[in-house]
Amino acid sequence: MMRTVLLRRTLALALLLSAAPLATRAQTVPSATDSANIRRIYNEALAQGQSYENLRYLTGQIGARLSGSPQAAQAVQWGQTTMEKLGLDRVYLQEVMVPHWVRGKPEKASIRGDKGKGVSLNVAALGGSVGTGGKLRAGVVEVQSLAELAALPEARVKGKFVFFNRPMNPLYVETGQAYGEAGDQRRSGAAAAAKRGAVGALVRSLTLAHDDLPHTGTMSYQEGVTQVPAAALSTMGADELSQLLKADSKLTVELEMSCQTLPDVKSYNVVGEIKGSKYPDQIITVGGHLDSWDLGQGAHDDGTGCVQSMEALRLLKATGLRPERTVRAVLFMNEENGNRGGLKYAELAKASNENHLAAIESDGGGFTPRGFNIEAAPSVVRKIVAWQPLFAPYGSGLLAPGHAGTDIGPLKGQAKALVGYDCDSQRYFDIHHTAADTFDKVNRRELELGGASMAALVYLLSKYGL
Ligand SMILES: [Zn+2]
C-alpha cells in the first residue's frame, strides 16, 4: 500500500510538472503558425524592406531637425506623407509646443598658455546653453565629478571655467550604462559650476571614442542660479587641456558661442494607425523620435527608430497579418531637449482614457538587433520572455528587464509594458550627438532586421495580449 501511495504521488507530481509548462505554452508560446508568420515578416523586411530608403530621404533631403527648426517642420510633413502612402487606417498629428534653441555661428575655443601660445579646441555648445556674449576668457579648474567640485574651496572656482573631465567607464559591456553614469556632468555641470561662482562649464564629450568630435546633448539650468555657458570638448581636446593644465595651472581658455533660446514653437507628433480587428480599444505603440541634434543628420539618433517603427506597420500590412489589437507608429517630437512629444502623447492618452497594452521604442541606434528591454510587472515580463524561441533564430532573443525609452517613459503606469529595442551598443556613442551621425553609418541589413524584430513583437502582442 505504501508503495502504491508513493507511486500515485509520484505520478501526480510528474503529471503536475509536465502539465504546468504545457498550460503556459498553450497560452503564450507560439505555434508553428507564429513561427511561420514571423519568418514571413523577416523575409519581407530582408527582401523588400523600405526603411533604409526612407532613412536615406530623411537624412539626406531633410537632414538634422532640432525641435523648432524648419527641418523639424519638414520632417513632420514627411512623416505624415510617408505613413499616408502606407495606406494605414488613420494618420494624424498631435500638436505640441516645443523649445526652440539655436546654436548660431560655429563655436570657437582656444587654450592660451603663459607664453601666449594658442591651441584651438573643437567644441560644441550643449543644447540649451546660453551664449558667451562675445569672447569669454577665464582660467580653468579641472574636476572629475560634481562631488569633487562641491568640495573645492570657493577661491579655486570663482571666475573660472569648471572643466568636467570624467571619462565614460570603459568596463561596462553595455555602453549605455557608462553613458548614464557620466551624464550628470553634462546635464547639471553648468548649474553646479555657477553655484560656486564659475563663469562657464567645459565638459568632456560622452563617448568612449578618442577623437576630435565634440558631442552635444541636453543640459539644464537651475531656477535662481546664474546661467553660464556650457560647451562639450572632444575627448582629444579634453585630454590635451588636462595635460596642459598640469604643466601650467594658470592657463586660460577663450570661448565664443552665440547660441540662444527663442520662444517655443508649435510642432507635432506624427501618428499612423492600423485598427485592431478584434480588440480595437487595446493599443500597441511603436515609435522613435523625429527630432535630432543639429550637428549631423540624426541618422542613428533617431532616424532609424522612426523608419523602423513605420516599417513595422508596413510589414504587417505587406504580409497580410492584420493585427487583432490596434497598432500605432508614433514619430515623437522633441525627445532630445524636452521630451515634450512623449509627455503630450501620454497626456492625450490619459485624457481620452485610452487602453495602452504596450509601447515599444527604438532609440539606441539602428545597429544589429539583440532583443528587447522590458519595463513591466514580473508576470508580464515572463509572458514576453516566453516568446524568446521565436526571436532566437534571428539573433534577437535577449529578452530581459531593462530601460525602455525616453519618449514612451511618460506612459509608465498607463501601459502594461514598456519595451526598448535592444541592439548592439558598441558603436552608438562614437557618433551620438555629433556631426558624424550620418546615413553612411547605417547598415541596411542591420536596420531592416531591427524593423522586422519590432514587427514580430508587435505581431505577438497584438495576437496574445499581455
Ligand atoms: Zn535619441
Side-chain angles (χ1 to χ4, degrees):
M1 181 155 167
M2 285 298 288
R3 284 189 60 183
T4 320
V5 168
L6 200 64
L7 188 64
R8 275 193 197 142
R9 275 189 191 155
T10 311
L11 270 174
L13 187 67
L15 272 172
L16 192 75
L17 284 175
S18 62
L22 274 177
T24 320
R25 222 170 271 162
Q27 275 170 14
T28 52
V29 181
S31 56
T33 315
D34 292 328
S35 171
N37 284 341
I38 287 172
R39 181 69 247 185
R40 286 167 57 208
I41 289 173
Y42 275 89
N43 286 352
E44 171 68 24
L46 290 170
Q48 318 281 345
Q50 288 181 10
S51 59
Y52 188 70
E53 289 308 318
N54 281 336
L55 185 67
R56 186 197 299 278
Y57 188 93
L58 175 65
T59 53
Q61 300 301 309
I62 300 174
R65 44 201 182 276
L66 188 56
S67 290
S69 67
Q71 292 83 358
Q74 265 179 273
V76 166
Q77 284 260 303
W78 166 85
Q80 188 175 15
T81 313
T82 307
M83 288 212 261
E84 278 165 359
K85 281 187 203 149
L86 294 180
L88 305 178
D89 297 329
R90 199 178 157 216
V91 177
Y92 57 100
L93 303 178
Q94 291 179 333
E95 190 180 308
V96 58
M97 295 302 289
V98 296
H100 188 198
W101 177 83
V102 292
R103 185 171 300 279
K105 285 183 301 213
E107 303 84 339
K108 282 185 199 155
S110 57
I111 306 171
R112 309 272 165 157
D114 51 358
K115 292 172 193 79
K117 249 177 73 186
V119 176
S120 70
L121 291 170
N122 257 343
V123 295
L126 294 181
S129 174
V130 295
T132 52
K135 289 175 177 152
L136 175 63
R137 191 163 166 180
V140 177
V141 58
E142 178 179 342
V143 297
Q144 295 291 305
S145 66
L146 295 168
E148 187 184 341
L149 169 63
L152 283 178
E154 183 131 343
R156 293 273 318 274
V157 184
K158 209 170 166 67
K160 290 188 180 162
F161 284 110
V162 175
F163 168 33
F164 294 92
N165 195 26
R166 183 168 87 256
M168 270 174 45
N169 185 345
L171 304 183
Y172 294 117
V173 174
E174 291 301 327
T175 58
Q177 215 172 331
Y179 175 74
E181 272 190 17
D184 57 351
Q185 319 171 87
R186 190 195 74 200
R187 290 190 302 270
S188 49
K195 265 189 194 163
R196 305 296 318 280
V199 297
L202 304 170
V203 185
R204 182 187 183 90
S205 283
L206 296 178
T207 180
L208 288 157
H210 193 246
D211 59 23
D212 210 15
L213 286 171
H215 295 232
T216 192
T218 197
M219 53 85 66
S220 53
Y221 293 113
Q222 263 177 38
E223 194 129 343
V225 177
T226 313
Q227 301 192 345
V228 300
L233 302 181
S234 71
T235 47
M236 270 166 59
D239 286 349
E240 190 169 15
L241 176 58
S242 181
Q243 230 166 35
L244 291 172
L245 263 176
K246 284 183 183 77
D248 173 12
S249 63
K250 299 263 185 303
L251 64 72
T252 58
V253 162
E254 188 176 274
L255 180 67
E256 195 174 0
M257 307 199 300
S258 57
C259 44
Q260 57 178 320
T261 299
L262 303 172
D264 285 1
V265 167
K266 190 195 287 182
S267 188
Y268 305 90
N269 292 328
V270 187
V271 186
E273 198 172 283
I274 302 176
K275 270 262 168 286
S277 59
K278 268 198 199 160
Y279 314 101
D281 291 344
Q282 294 186 31
I283 297 160
I284 300 161
T285 297
V286 56
H289 63 86
L290 194 51
D291 64 306
S292 78
W293 282 108
D294 54 333
L295 296 175
Q297 297 178 334
H300 277 291
D301 189 13
D302 182 26
T304 50
C306 291
V307 295
Q308 285 174 325
S309 300
M310 296 192 290
E311 182 73 355
L313 271 60
R314 191 195 71 80
L315 291 171
L316 295 178
K317 277 190 78 81
T319 48
L321 296 167
R322 182 167 187 105
E324 295 181 17
R325 289 161 168 91
T326 292
V327 179
R328 269 187 202 160
V330 182
L331 314 182
F332 293 95
M333 184 50 70
N334 186 228
E335 187 271 348
E336 295 293 2
N337 56 340
N339 202 24
R340 302 265 186 93
L343 290 162
K344 178 60 77 176
Y345 185 74
E347 178 195 315
L348 293 174
K350 195 163 203 173
S352 340
N353 219 358
E354 286 176 352
N355 178 0
H356 283 257
L357 183 78
I360 306 166
E361 175 159 1
S362 166
D363 187 20
F367 299 99
T368 307
R370 287 281 174 80
F372 295 97
N373 298 323
I374 309 157
E375 282 180 45
S379 60
V380 174
V381 173
R382 276 198 296 278
K383 279 189 184 171
I384 298 175
V385 170
W387 296 330
Q388 195 273 345
L390 288 167
F391 291 98
Y394 307 98
S396 200
L398 285 177
L399 307 175
H403 174 71
T406 302
D407 295 286
I408 58 174
L411 282 173
K412 204 177 178 91
Q414 285 169 255
K416 258 192 170 170
L418 302 182
V419 182
Y421 168 65
D422 182 27
C423 60
D424 182 85
S425 71
Q426 300 314 317
R427 286 168 287 155
Y428 187 50
F429 291 103
D430 291 357
I431 56 164
H432 184 245
H433 298 178
T434 72
D437 183 6
T438 49
F439 179 69
D440 56 298
K441 308 300 189 307
V442 180
N443 174 278
R444 177 173 204 138
R445 286 180 62 84
E446 293 178 0
L447 178 73
E448 305 286 9
L449 281 168
S453 69
M454 288 158 67
L457 181 59
V458 169
Y459 160 79
L460 290 167
L461 287 164
S462 80
K463 182 167 172 184
Y464 294 105
L466 283 174

